[in-house]
Amino acid sequence: MCGIVGGVAERSITNILIEGLKRLEYRGYDSAGLALVDHGQILRERRVGKVANLEQAVEESAIVGSLGIAHTRWATHGKPTENNAHPHISGRVAVVHNGIIENYQELKDDLEALGYNFTSQTDTEVVAHLVHEALKSTPDLLKAVEQVVPQLKGAYALGIVDTEYPDELIAVREGSPLVIGVGIGENFISSDQLALLPVTNRFIYLEEGDIARLTRETIEVFVNGQPVERPIKELDATISNATKGEFKHYMLKEIYEQPEAIQQTISQALNGNALRTDFLENAEVDFKNIKQVQIIACGTSYHAGMIGKYWFEQLSGLPCQVEIASEYRYRSPVIVADTLYVCISQSGETADTLAALRDTKKRAAEKGLNISTMTICNVATSSMVRETNHHLLTLAGPEIGVASTKAFTTQLAVLMLLILKIGQVKQAISPEKIEEITTEMWHTPKVILDTLQNDKEILRLSELFVEKQHCLFLGRGTEFPIALEGALKLKEISYIHAEGYAAGELKHGPLALVDNDMPVVILAPKDDMLDKLKSNMEEVQARGGELFVFADENSGIKNKDRQHVVNVPSVSTWLAPIIYSVPVQLLSYHVAVLRGTDVDQPRNLAKSVTVE
Ligand code: AGP
């Protein structure tokens, strides 16, 4: 999704802006641009495609400047063209923008009536003209921006410069993330702190409604025109560990990081085979009273939530609903007192999940209902973490590949820890059961390592998918969400159409798709449903389908004609979804590499979906 970088310094910041944009590439974009203020002029370059194209253009034009803003654009209003790329300029003013200005058409009509010409199809350009217009009557850039902001409807973050204010950078946060990077004699802004790690590890996280004025030496933050204090936070050095290392892609690196990520994640909650006494201590009172759980999430995080539902109900006996945030937020769900609302999100910034959380809190407050909110998240500083009563972090480290891998498996680990904690507080899970599951959780990193040993075999099988157009993934119980996740992984990075189904649904429709050109991936742990799953496999084979089975080593499922079996280490039912995620991730990865797609930044997708 769109990315913002900006800065004000004594030195030229051209290379800092380009490097920052490169670090935002993982978020997904289709064009890039920057504007520098130099000797009373705005110098701008914009290019469609990769940041490398912009970098080359900037090298050729040799533009420099110590005040500037830069942007990677993910098209929402208007196609990915050079004219639509940011920054947008209105005379002396240049603007970069993330998010959406919902009332832009109305504002555009008014501005056109005032004589402004629009050179793009974007919603952003109205902001540049509005600031330009406001500066006619308000000879102060900050005041002009403060005058414009109330006119804008939607969720957005802005970076604004003006040639008349060559030492000032204005930043606005209203529904879209923005951080200030605090330097020495220089200051920066970005929509993602990762972009600024080469220049600082000290950050101010702007809050909704904040407008900031940065100069080289000062940072002022205002709310409704009044100055406010925002703390500076120093970032943990481990978060900067965001390089590909020896791996060809971030996705592969992140798949291989899962043993360590799970180890880190469970270590925060376990002391030997018991839950640590301080684990979620503050939440105990809320947990005692909750009567049900509502999980809200999108994409892969939603699949984690689906598994959470199985676990919540089987282990703790608490009713649990799980819903896609984009549906939940618009269907006027009934808010029930004593519900624990759990948002699951790698980024903690996904627009639909965040909006669903905010609506739920607002409606509960209006009705005077007592609810608790919790975020399961990979980014400690994210909006969702800040806006929920409790949070649990997946300690997976930065996930750069658009396809979520280690964030997913650590979400599952965290969900299990949460369920054990709630079960313990409510005395719904016996100490013996907790010990049994936590013992297995400690084994998970080793079992993932063993599962990764199948990588070469999975690579060999992936060659059989390269020419395929469609694929089915089947599983039962907690492997049903893994089937959905496997299909999502395959389609998002290899562009092969894939569907995940509960294997029991096969006869109710999808069996009609099966022929000798249809690969069917089966997830077959050794559980109570194994015999039923074997019958489903027979149904596929009888119609000529080719089976690719990730099967428990003791399942008795063997290689045969048109049935390829990869043995997965034997694990308990509770851990099976974490373990079976690994082969489907590897399969999708290898198919995508063989098909030559952009694995880490697949077309049309963004890492963090901060607009609807
Ligand atoms: C999965 O591979 C995707 N990148 C996507 O479905 C993602 O999980 C979804 O956009 C939700 O993101 P979040 O976890 O950051 O909220």
Side-chain angles (χ1 to χ4, degrees), residues 298-301 344-347 350 402-404 488-489 492 609:
C298 299
T300 289
S301 298
I344 307 179
S345 175
Q346 187 283 131
S347 60
T350 300
V402 163
S404 191
L488 174 62
K489 285 289 86 94
E492 75 176 323
V609 184

Side-chain angles (χ1 to χ4, degrees), residues 569-581:
S570 232
V571 279
S572 81
T573 322
W574 303 117
L575 294 189
I578 298 183
I579 303 305
Y580 282 74
S581 303

